Amino acid sequence: MRTPAALRPGPGRRRPEWAGRNYVLLTAAAVVTNLGTHGALIAAAFAVLESGGDGGDVGLVAAARTLPLVLFLLVGGAIADRLPRHRVMVAANALNCASQAVFAALVLTGNAQLWQMMLLTALCGTGQAFFSPAAEGMLMAGVSGEQANRAFALFRMAVNGAAIGGAALGGAMIAALGPGWVLAIDAAAFAAAGALRAFLDVGHIAERAPGGGLLSDLREGWKEFVSRPWLWSIVAQFSVVVAVIGAAESVYGPLVAQDSLGGARPWGLALAAFGAGTLGGALLMMRWKPRRMLLVGTLCVFPLALPSAALAVPLPVGGLAVAMFVSGVTIEVFGVAWMTALHQEIPEDKLSRVAAYDWFGSTAMLPLSTALAGPAADLFGRSEALWGSAALIVLVTALVLLVPDVRNLTRSTKEVSSGAVPTTGSGPSADAEGPAERLG
């Protein structure tokens, strides 16, 4: 297969020959948003606590972010298969920038009220609902099929490195300056990322033929989704996994940190350890290509129970950091395996719609779990709620291993056409790649 001229190395070019202009721009944009967003998620929780809120209020703000994400994902996926995807991405970044800027201003002036924080985080979730399906397929559009695994792993290494710095720096800045400045930095990061994505070259992407209407497009995407047992079963698994981990990390984690670990700085370091683990997992997957990719990936979901268990004890910061690091390594192995399966199995022209059902299923229970996290801790006890979260992760992961396609789907030895791999970004950021990224 001939390499397109745009991807051949020119004089003095140091990047890999398969890393074209769009790959570099998308990677840079995702790094920028990860630096801002991983600190901002910590900042939002501590902004609520510093305004006099409790664990239930933290859960309500977290739920306000995820509810519109669930509500608008399917529409966002259908729109992304109709409109130029890069324009949808830039518009979503602009909305995220504006909402975070207003959030920062309210916190810095000391005027933030609970309903305002819920509204502004809901706008952020709305932006993510339209961004995430649109982002699918853009990253790998210029990468040859045989290099897809390496290109995705290298992208994840850059993004996860930014996540480490963003979480650690965000925690330190919250302790030193307060959460408002971290939210302001996140707004600036969204502005910068949107500007980078505005320069994407989409001339080589063929125009998609108009479909039969929004509902018709959604039905077609649903048929594509339910026809693959490995796809819908893992998405169903992650609807539970993401829900319980979202409650643990958005609500219980900051509360445990405040009560037992010393506040925002150690919690930021624990999240940075998770980021370091994902970086290690990406390095591993640069070289390792497991044949039964979904079997290996699903086995790597079991260690995601470790952080909830560590918070339930609670372990000191060092022990929590180890648990976070191990879970980071293993979820990255799953993430690359998941992306490889999608790259291999899903037609490009249906990718955004399938991705929307993927995102919808994976996040459907997240608003409920974060909203109920505080009341559940009051009813059963925080430690008991965290142990229950760990047990649920183990149970649903064991159940999904009963699906034959999950155990038996193998990596193709044939070259896969480029452009079918969903792009990614950060866990709770705007750049997520699949069920694994709903966790951050």
Side-chain angles (χ1 to χ4, degrees):
M1 180 178 182
R2 294 186 60 188
T3 303
L7 300 183
R8 294 178 194 143
R13 181 180 291 185
R14 296 182 179 180
R15 64 176 182 250
E17 63 178 16
W18 43 262
R21 178 171 177 268
N22 281 2
Y23 182 91
V24 173
L25 285 173
L26 287 165
T27 301
V31 166
V32 168
T33 51
N34 269 260
L35 282 170
T37 302
H38 277 78
L41 288 169
I42 306 172
F46 281 91
V48 175
L49 294 174
E50 288 187 7
S51 69
D54 56 15
D57 295 329
V58 173
L60 288 175
V61 171
R65 180 186 179 94
T66 54
L67 182 59
L69 175 63
V70 173
L71 292 177
F72 294 119
L73 268 171
L74 298 182
V75 175
I79 289 176
D81 273 338
R82 286 174 166 266
L83 300 179
R85 290 172 180 164
H86 70 295
R87 293 182 183 175
V88 179
M89 294 164 68
V90 172
N93 283 166
L95 177 60
N96 289 141
C97 172
S99 61
Q100 290 295 76
V102 175
F103 195 173
L106 290 172
V107 174
L108 287 170
T109 57
N111 295 321
Q113 300 179 30
L114 180 61
W115 72 267
Q116 294 170 326
M117 291 186 281
M118 291 177 65
L119 174 62
L120 291 167
T121 53
L123 289 175
C124 252
T126 301
Q128 187 177 355
F130 284 88
F131 178 93
S132 298
E136 307 295 336
M138 289 296 294
L139 181 70
M140 298 301 184
V143 178
S144 60
E146 70 273 12
Q147 296 291 353
N149 191 82
R150 177 172 295 181
F152 181 73
L154 182 62
F155 176 85
R156 292 300 305 155
M157 286 173 57
V159 168
N160 291 332
I164 297 169
L169 183 61
M173 287 188 64
I174 292 167
L177 303 175
W181 287 108
V182 178
L183 293 167
I185 290 173
D186 190 37
F190 275 117
L196 288 170
R197 291 176 175 124
F199 288 101
L200 291 171
D201 179 10
V202 296
H204 64 287
I205 299 177
E207 292 187 8
R208 293 183 292 274
L214 184 63
L215 292 179
S216 177
D217 287 349
L218 289 174
R219 284 195 297 269
E220 188 175 359
W222 174 251
K223 290 178 181 178
E224 198 74 28
F225 178 79
V226 298
S227 67
R228 293 172 170 82
W230 62 268
L231 179 59
W232 59 256
S233 63
I234 288 179
V235 170
Q237 170 201 12
F238 269 80
S239 69
V240 177
V241 172
V242 171
V244 297
I245 291 182
E249 294 192 358
S250 297
V251 181
Y252 299 140
L255 293 174
V256 172
Q258 185 181 51
D259 294 344
S260 305
L261 302 179
R265 185 188 298 269
W267 180 236
L269 291 175
L271 293 177
F274 177 84
T278 60
L279 184 61
L283 282 169
L284 172 64
M285 296 306 287
M286 285 283 288
R287 295 182 175 274
W288 185 32
K289 297 181 179 180
R291 182 170 176 269
R292 294 192 179 186
M293 46 197 172
L294 289 184
L295 174 61
V296 170
T298 301
L299 290 173
C300 286
V301 177
F302 284 107
L304 294 184
L306 294 176
S308 293
L311 289 169
V313 173
L315 292 181
V317 176
L320 175 61
V322 170
M324 296 286 276
F325 178 84
V326 172
S327 65
V329 172
T330 57
I331 196 55
E332 193 66 18
V333 173
F334 169 85
V336 175
W338 178 253
M339 286 300 94
T340 304
L342 291 178
H343 175 59
Q344 178 177 297
E345 302 293 328
I346 306 298
E348 193 277 339
D349 63 325
K350 298 180 177 66
L351 188 55
S352 288
R353 279 165 286 175
V354 171
Y357 282 108
D358 170 9
W359 268 87
F360 179 82
S362 298
T363 59
M365 295 174 61
L366 189 55
L368 183 63
S369 70
T370 50
L372 294 180
D378 293 337
L379 182 61
F380 302 108
R382 187 190 301 165
S383 179
E384 288 75 10
L386 283 163
W387 282 119
S389 297
L392 278 173
I393 292 171
V394 173
L395 175 62
V396 297
T397 303
L399 289 175
V400 84
L401 286 173
L402 300 176
V403 179
D405 284 354
V406 172
R407 301 193 307 271
N408 299 327
L409 184 67
T410 58
R411 182 186 301 272
S412 174
T413 57
K414 298 180 181 179
E415 182 176 317
V416 184
S417 62
S418 63
V421 177
T423 187
T424 145
S426 66
S429 78
D431 302 324
E433 91 273 13
E437 286 305 298
R438 287 33 157 199
L439 303 176

